[in-house]
Amino acid sequence: MELRPPETGFWRNLRDLPRALTLSGFIAGFIVVLIGYTGPLLIVLQAGEAGGLTQAQTTSWLWAVTVGNGLLTMFLSIYYRQPIIAPWPTAGAALLVTSLANYTLPQAIGAYLVAALGLVVIGATGIFGTLIARVPRAVVQGLLAGILLRFGIGIFRVLPQEPLLVTACIVVFFLLKRRRWRAPTLGVLVVGVVIAALSGDLNISGVNIALARPIITLPEFMLEAMLSLALPLCILAVTTQFAPGEAVLRSAGYRAPVNGIMVFIGLGSIPLAFLGGHGQSLGALTSALVASPDVSPDHSRRYAAAVASGAWYTLFGLFGATIISFFAGFPAALVAVIAGLSLSGTIASSLSGAMEQPDTRDAALVAFLCAAGEFSLFGIGAPFWGLVAGVAVYWLMRPLRRPVVVEAGSPELQK
C-alpha cells in the first residue's frame, strides 16, 4: 500500500476544511472527546487528588491538557492534512497517581518541562527509531502494565462496597465491547450514574457552570523528580504513544512525519507545563477513529474529523471547572470502576506484549513487579527502578554466544 505523504500548507488546508468536513467526521470527532472524558480524564482527576492539589490547581491542569489537546490537534491536522490527535498521555497520568504526592507542584512542573524538552530533542535529532530499538519493548510493556495494575485491581477493591454498581458496570462494559461499540465506557458512565442516582449516592448539587481559570506556576528543578517523573514520562510517551500512534496512521495509509509531530508537540507542551499540564502526545486509538474509512473514503479529507475533535476538546476544556464539579459528585466506586475499565484494554495488551517473547520475559516480569510495587527508594519512585531493573535483567539474560555466520558456498547452505 502506498502511503500518503503529508501535504503541508496551513492556510490552503484551512480553506479546504469546510468542504472536507462530513457529518460522520463531525460525529467521529465528538466520539473521540467522549472517550477522553469517560476514562483518561478521570485518571487526571485521581492524580490531582492523590497529589494533594487544590481544586484550582487541578482545574488548571485539566485546562492545560484538554485545551492543549484541542489546539495542537487542530494545528497539526491542518498543517499536515492528516488526522492527527494530540491527547495527554494516559500512562503518564497513571504514573502521577502514585508519584505526584512525593513532590511539590513546582517540582513536578520542572519535570514536565524536562520531559517536553526531551521530546523536542528526540524529534529534532531524528533518533526516534534508534531510541525505540534501544529500549526493550517487552520491558516498557511490563513497566506500563505495572503502573496501570492498581487501576485494574481497584475495580474489585470497591466491589464489596458497591456490589450492584460495580457488577452492572462490568457487565455493561463487556456487553458493549462485544457489540464493538467505540466508546463502551460511555455506556458504563450512563448506567453508573443512573444506579448511583437511584441509590442516593450521586451528588451533583454543587455543579457550577463556569469557565476554567489557568494558573501559572513557576518550576523547580530537582534531580529526584527528573528521574522519577521526567524520564518515565518521556519514555512512556515515546514508546506507548508515538510508536503505536505512528503505526495506526501508517496502517490507515498515511506516512506520518513523526519527528516533526514530536517536535511540535514537545514545543506545545512547554507553555502548557507552566499551567500544570504533564504533556501531550500522539494518539493511537483516537487517531484510528478519525483515520477510519468510515469518516470519509477520501484520505485527503479525513483530517477534518481530527480538526472537529480538536474543536470539541477546546470547547469542553474551557469549562474545566464545571467538569470537575460534575465528577466530584460521583461516588468513589464509580470513578474507580470507570478508570479501571477504560484502562483494561491497555493492561491486557501490555501484559501480552511483555510476556510474548521467552527471551525477554524475565526482564519484563521484573519491570512489571517493580513498577507495581509502588515504593520509593532514595526519593525516587518505583517506575524508574522498574525501568532500570528491567533493562539490567534484559542485558544480564541475553545469550552470550555469537551467532554462527555461514559464508556463501559453505556446505551448510547445501544441507
Side-chain angles (χ1 to χ4, degrees):
M1 177 179 62
E2 185 178 353
L3 299 181
R4 186 179 187 87
E7 300 178 34
T8 55
F10 185 87
W11 297 113
R12 181 196 63 199
N13 296 335
L14 181 62
R15 287 194 299 270
D16 292 344
L17 183 62
R19 293 194 298 270
L21 184 61
T22 62
L23 178 60
S24 58
F26 189 77
I27 295 174
F30 186 67
I31 291 175
V32 168
V33 178
L34 290 181
I35 291 174
Y37 272 81
T38 55
L41 182 72
L42 294 182
I43 311 300
V44 173
L45 299 182
Q46 285 185 318
E49 183 178 357
L53 302 186
T54 65
Q55 182 171 339
Q57 291 170 334
T58 304
T59 300
S60 181
W61 182 1
L62 185 63
W63 189 98
V65 295
T66 52
V67 174
N69 181 349
L71 296 179
L72 280 170
T73 293
M74 288 190 289
F75 171 78
L76 290 170
S77 298
I78 295 173
Y79 182 76
Y80 288 116
R81 203 182 179 99
Q82 292 187 356
I84 300 168
I85 305 293
W88 60 93
T90 304
L95 167 72
L96 295 173
V97 172
T98 57
S99 302
L100 188 58
N102 299 324
Y103 307 98
T104 64
L105 181 59
Q107 291 168 350
I109 287 177
Y112 302 161
L113 286 170
V114 172
L117 287 172
L119 293 181
V120 174
V121 171
I122 293 171
T125 56
I127 62 172
F128 173 72
T130 303
L131 182 61
I132 291 295
R134 292 290 182 183
V135 180
R137 177 179 176 273
V139 171
V140 174
Q141 293 292 333
L143 180 70
L144 179 58
I147 293 172
L148 301 182
L149 181 64
R150 71 187 308 270
F151 295 96
I153 295 176
I155 298 174
F156 301 97
R157 281 181 176 165
V158 298
L159 179 61
Q161 306 167 19
E162 300 283 351
L164 175 61
L165 173 66
V166 174
T167 302
C169 287
I170 293 174
V171 171
V172 168
F173 178 81
F174 286 105
L175 284 177
L176 293 179
K177 195 172 183 180
R178 181 180 179 181
R179 302 286 296 180
R180 301 186 184 279
W181 276 44
R182 290 180 173 177
T185 49
L186 177 60
V188 173
L189 174 64
V190 173
V191 170
V193 166
V194 170
I195 294 176
L198 293 176
S199 61
D201 294 331
L202 184 67
N203 180 18
I204 57 174
S205 58
V207 174
N208 181 30
I209 299 178
L211 292 173
R213 292 184 178 182
I215 301 174
I216 297 177
T217 303
L218 297 180
E220 293 180 13
F221 298 96
M222 179 184 182
L223 179 60
E224 290 85 351
M226 299 302 107
L227 296 176
S228 293
L229 299 181
L231 182 61
L233 282 173
C234 188
I235 291 178
L236 287 173
V238 170
T239 55
T240 68
Q241 295 281 165
F242 283 95
E246 181 195 24
V248 165
L249 289 173
R250 181 176 292 272
S251 66
Y254 297 95
R255 190 168 72 238
V258 65
N259 289 322
I261 293 172
M262 191 175 294
V263 169
F264 277 125
I265 288 180
L267 290 174
S269 297
I270 291 175
L272 297 175
F274 289 94
L275 308 179
H278 67 289
Q280 309 298 131
S281 61
L282 177 61
L285 169 63
T286 48
S287 292
L289 291 174
V290 293
S292 168
D294 294 336
V295 170
S296 172
D298 187 349
H299 279 74
S300 67
R301 294 189 172 189
R302 295 177 195 170
Y303 79 102
V307 175
S309 170
W312 281 114
Y313 261 119
T314 303
L315 177 62
F316 277 80
L318 293 176
F319 291 89
T322 304
I323 301 297
I324 289 180
S325 64
F326 175 69
F327 283 119
F330 283 23
L334 179 58
V335 174
V337 170
I338 294 176
L341 290 175
S342 68
L343 293 172
S344 61
T346 306
I347 296 173
S349 61
S350 299
L351 286 173
S352 176
M355 301 297 141
E356 183 178 6
Q357 299 296 330
D359 291 344
T360 56
R361 195 170 292 160
D362 289 325
L365 179 62
V366 169
F368 167 72
L369 295 175
C370 193
E374 299 182 14
F375 65 92
S376 178
L377 182 63
F378 305 121
I380 302 172
F384 171 78
W385 297 115
L387 180 64
V388 170
V391 171
V393 172
Y394 169 78
W395 286 105
L396 181 65
M397 298 297 291
R398 287 191 73 188
L400 296 180
R401 66 179 184 179
R402 297 180 180 177
V404 177
V405 178
V406 181
E407 297 181 357
S410 170
E412 293 294 329
L413 292 177
Q414 301 173 13
K415 291 183 179 180

